Amino acid sequence: MTGSVPLLSLEEVHAHYGKSHILHGVSFHVGRNEVVSLLGRNGSGRSTTMKAIMGLVPPTGGRIHLMERDITGARPYAICRAGVAYVPEEREVFHNLTVDENFRMGEQPAAPGATRWTVEDMFAYFPRLKERRHTKAGNLSGGEQQMLTICRSLLGNPQVILVDEPTEGLAPKIVTAVGECIRDMHRKGVSVVLVEQKLAIALKVSTRVCVMGHGRIVFEGTPQQLASDEKLLADWLAV
Ligand SMILES: Nc1ncnc2c1ncn2[C@@H]1O[C@H](COP(=O)(O)OP(=O)(O)OP(=O)(O)O)[C@@H](O)[C@H]1O
Ligand SMILES: [Mg+2]
């Protein structure tokens, strides 16, 4: 980090659903221009970590900072406005609006010096959306809705984007396009927190990986370190 304040940092974050204690002190940080993957088995707490960052599941302990700003438990819209975008597992599109109109709903001016994404950029990644730009989002396939959700979030020109299982259930060609899009987010200076079940993709696009188990981070390192550690893969990722 060379002494600078990380863009996003979690320190000892706890979270509960009712009486169930789900996150047991999650700590990690995301620097500028980093893609950090949260890996782990089903139920390990990856989505809950994203929801805690977004204020959708208010943390019951610990602190979350966006640069110097303490966003622990702030309202989701305030966290979004501060520059954090969230692409949840469930596709979130406005069903009665067309692709173009969905794009317009997402557009936000970029902060000074921040990356400016345009609708044309989105069509370059996902030409299928251009073909369907006047179609109502409710009539798109699941894969097209997933692309649209990612694009809408990017058009908000976030500083950091949390993307939860973006390739789940997508055709191989679209999986490749989503991978390209995430790599470009990195190239263009947007930081990414990614939950991705397909290990090969996570290893390819990430600058750093965190492995979660039972609501904790059990490993943090480079994709290369993870890929070469057979015990770690067997203990925490093999199904
Ligand atoms: N709304 C909820 N109410 C109660 N328990 C929940 C809720 N959502 C998740 N959990 C529980 O919290 C734990 C962590 O869930 P989380 O969704 O964070 O896992 P995950 O790592 O994203 O895995 P996956 O997406 O494969 O389920 C699991 O035991 C899950 O059953
Ligand atoms: Mg999940």
Side-chain angles (χ1 to χ4, degrees):
M1 291 305 306
T2 62
S4 61
V5 178
L7 189 56
L8 180 70
S9 66
L10 284 76
E11 292 153 53
E12 288 291 315
V13 171
H14 290 253
H16 290 71
Y17 290 112
K19 287 188 176 152
S20 307
H21 194 171
I22 304 296
L23 299 186
H24 296 262
V26 172
S27 304
F28 67 95
H29 66 267
V30 183
R32 285 194 181 278
N33 210 14
E34 271 203 297
V35 179
V36 177
S37 281
L38 292 181
L39 306 175
R41 290 205 179 94
N42 291 341
S44 57
R46 299 159 303 163
S47 297
T48 305
T49 300
M50 288 191 163
K51 288 174 188 163
I53 296 169
M54 284 316 290
L56 295 164
V57 175
T60 45
R63 309 271 18 128
I64 303 175
H65 283 87
L66 182 67
M67 290 174 289
E68 283 90 358
R69 181 168 168 188
D70 188 341
I71 58 166
T72 319
R75 303 296 293 272
Y77 72 85
I79 293 172
C80 179
R81 210 175 283 164
V84 187
Y86 172 51
V87 181
E89 269 175 289
E90 319 76 47
R91 284 121 201 189
E92 283 194 345
V93 295
F94 297 101
H95 286 247
N96 287 324
L97 301 182
T98 65
V99 168
D100 265 344
E101 288 163 345
N102 266 275
F103 280 164
R104 255 177 277 144
M105 293 296 285
E107 275 177 319
Q108 296 272 359
T115 307
R116 178 108 184 94
W117 298 85
T118 67
V119 171
E120 285 312 312
D121 292 334
M122 301 303 125
F123 288 152
Y125 293 123
F126 305 113
R128 180 70 182 148
L129 291 181
K130 188 167 191 175
E131 290 165 23
R132 309 212 73 187
R133 65 190 298 172
H134 303 302
T135 303
K136 289 216 163 125
N139 294 333
L140 299 178
S141 71
E144 290 162 352
Q145 290 187 2
Q146 180 67 294
M147 296 182 239
L148 183 54
T149 311
I150 294 173
C151 293
R152 217 190 51 227
S153 301
L154 277 180
L155 287 168
N157 286 297
Q159 303 194 61
V160 53
I161 184 167
L162 319 179
V163 197
D164 199 347
E165 301 214 31
T167 68
E168 170 80 14
L170 299 188
K173 205 173 142 194
I174 307 176
V175 171
T176 308
V178 169
E180 272 303 302
C181 185
I182 290 170
R183 291 183 99 165
D184 265 9
M185 292 177 198
H186 176 217
R187 279 188 211 117
K188 288 195 172 194
V190 180
S191 298
V192 183
V193 181
L194 174 68
V195 170
E196 176 56 65
Q197 204 66 39
K198 297 180 183 71
L199 186 61
I201 295 185
L203 293 175
K204 202 158 144 192
V205 302
S206 305
T207 53
R208 211 144 45 77
V209 292
C210 295
V211 177
M212 291 192 72
H214 310 306
R216 291 184 175 85
I217 305 282
V218 295
F219 167 84
E220 191 185 330
T222 64
Q224 295 77 6
Q225 284 168 328
L226 175 61
S228 61
D229 192 333
E230 282 177 22
K231 181 163 173 15
L232 188 67
L233 292 169
D235 286 353
W236 297 105
L237 293 172
V239 279

